[in-house]
Amino acid sequence: MVARTRRAQRRTEALSRERITEAAVELLDASGESGLTFRALSERLATGPGAIYWHVANKGELLEAATDVVVAAALAEPAEAAGSPRDEIRAVALGLFTAIAEHPWLATQVSLQLSHGPTKSVPLRIFEGIGRHVGALGVPEDSWFTVASALMHYILGSAAQNASNARVAGSVVDRAEFLDAVSAAWEELDPDDYPFTRAVARQAREHDDRQQFLTGIDLILAGIRAR
C-alpha cells in the first residue's frame, strides 16, 4: 500500500506543468538543448510521454516555459529589494547575468524570443524589469524607450558573451587557463599595430567578469545622469 501511494504521488507530481518545467530546466542545465527530449523527460519524471503532452504541446513550448521560469526567478529577488533606482537596475542586471551564467542554454533561448518579436513573455518581463526604474532616474519620458532598450541590449549581450567565453567547442574550459592563453597571445602582438591591446593584456588576465559587467552598467547610468 505504501509503495502504491508513493507511485501515485510521483505520478501526480509528474502531471503538474510546474514539475515538468522544473525537470526540463534540470535536463537543459545538465545536457543542453539537445539533451531535452520527451523520452529523457519521461524517464526523469517516471511517467509516460502522453502525460507530458497533456500539459505541453511540443519541445518549443517546453523551452519557452523553461526560459520563462528561470527569467522570472532571476527578476523576482531584485523586484523585492528596496533601494535607489540605480541600485535596483544594477540588481536586475546582475540577476540576469548570474542566471545566464548558471544556465548556459538561457542566452540562446532569450535571443530566440527577442527575434520572434517584442510581445513574447520573456522579453516583456526583462524590459519591464529594467524600464520601471528608468523614469525614477530622471530620464525624460520621451527617452524611456531608448534608455531601457540600451540597458537591456547591453545586459543580455554582455551576459551572453560571458557565458559563451566559458565554453570552447561545447566544452567547459578553465577560466584562468583561457585568460592566460588570451593574455599571452595579446602580449605577442605587433606593438606597432596593437599598442593598446598589448598594454591591457595583463588586465585581461586578472579581470573579474562580474565587476567588468557592472562597470559597464555604471558607465551607462553615469551617461544617463550626465545627459
Side-chain angles (χ1 to χ4, degrees), residues 31-184:
S31 306
E33 186 179 336
S34 63
L36 178 61
T37 65
F38 276 72
R39 179 177 180 179
L41 198 56
S42 298
E43 292 175 356
R44 180 171 288 262
L45 293 169
T47 190
I52 298 174
Y53 280 114
W54 179 263
H55 295 278
V56 183
N58 50 52
K59 183 174 179 177
E61 182 179 332
L62 189 56
L63 283 166
E64 287 194 5
T67 303
D68 189 66
V69 75
V70 172
V71 169
L75 295 174
E77 187 172 343
E80 296 172 359
S84 68
R86 174 183 177 277
D87 290 339
E88 290 176 347
I89 288 175
R90 291 176 97 251
V92 168
L94 190 55
L96 290 168
F97 179 88
T98 301
I100 290 173
E102 293 177 349
H103 306 277
W105 53 272
L106 186 60
T108 299
Q109 295 305 313
V110 171
S111 179
L112 283 172
Q113 288 211 24
L114 280 168
S115 69
H116 292 160
T119 59
K120 289 286 188 178
S121 62
V122 169
L124 283 174
R125 281 185 188 274
I126 296 172
F127 194 62
E128 181 66 25
I130 296 167
R132 65 178 57 183
H133 305 299
V134 167
L137 289 172
V139 176
E141 187 171 351
D142 60 2
S143 297
W144 285 2
F145 172 78
T146 300
V147 171
S149 297
L151 282 164
M152 180 172 174
H153 288 304
Y154 170 77
I155 291 168
L156 295 180
S158 296
Q161 184 62 51
N162 176 73
S164 68
N165 286 345
R167 294 177 174 268
V168 175
S171 300
V172 176
V173 298
D174 181 84
R175 180 180 182 277
E177 290 180 2
F178 173 75
L179 292 178
D180 280 342
V182 170
S183 182

